[in-house]
Amino acid sequence: AVLFWIPTHILTFSMRYFDDYQAARIPIFPSTYSFHITRLTIAISSVLASLSISAAGVLIGMQWGFIRLLAVLSVGLILLAFATVFRPTERTNFGLFKYASLFMLSAMILLSI
């Protein structure tokens, strides 16, 4: 699950500071593949992260109340990820960055309980 979360953070961060990377002539994913492909990659990795964490919760026998909470958090992550694809703005991009951090922290706490 963490492997799917890392691209979300790295790619949203690289999109946020795109101009700085360009000024330093550092090639990054958005400059190589375009912002649209970067947003699609973020959306796909967010979906895979939420599915893998939800599957882990079910497989370890997590209580249904926690699974429902995890499902609500997952839906929020997926909706925000698709919002960055279909209505891309700097604000939704940074919102996804913050929400993905909150999602991963919450998911890890729920899985450890």
Side-chain angles (χ1 to χ4, degrees), residues 31-108:
S31 64
T32 305
Y33 297 105
S34 81
F35 273 75
H36 181 69
I37 297 298
T38 303
R39 288 185 187 103
L40 285 173
T41 304
I42 291 169
I44 290 168
S45 68
S46 297
V47 169
L48 292 174
S50 62
L51 289 175
S52 64
I53 288 174
S54 299
V58 170
L59 291 174
I60 65 170
M62 184 184 278
Q63 294 178 358
W64 283 105
F66 293 139
I67 290 176
R68 284 192 296 261
L69 178 57
L70 197 56
V72 169
L73 291 170
S74 296
V75 167
L77 180 66
I78 291 169
L79 289 176
L80 194 52
F82 284 118
T84 61
V85 172
F86 297 113
R87 295 216 169 137
T89 64
E90 178 80 20
R91 188 173 181 189
T92 53
N93 184 42
F94 192 62
L96 176 61
F97 178 81
K98 292 190 292 187
Y99 188 82
S101 299
L102 178 66
F103 171 78
M104 190 55 72
L105 175 66
S106 301
M108 291 303 128

Side-chain angles (χ1 to χ4, degrees), residues 14-32:
S14 68
M15 288 172 63
R16 181 169 175 85
Y17 297 106
F18 180 79
D19 293 331
D20 295 334
Y21 284 114
Q22 288 299 103
R25 296 184 182 170
I26 298 172
I28 54 174
F29 198 89
S31 64
T32 305

Side-chain angles (χ1 to χ4, degrees), residues 4-21:
F4 300 122
W5 173 70
I6 291 171
T8 300
H9 272 66
I10 292 172
L11 295 178
T12 54
F13 192 78
S14 68
M15 288 172 63
R16 181 169 175 85
Y17 297 106
F18 180 79
D19 293 331
D20 295 334
Y21 284 114

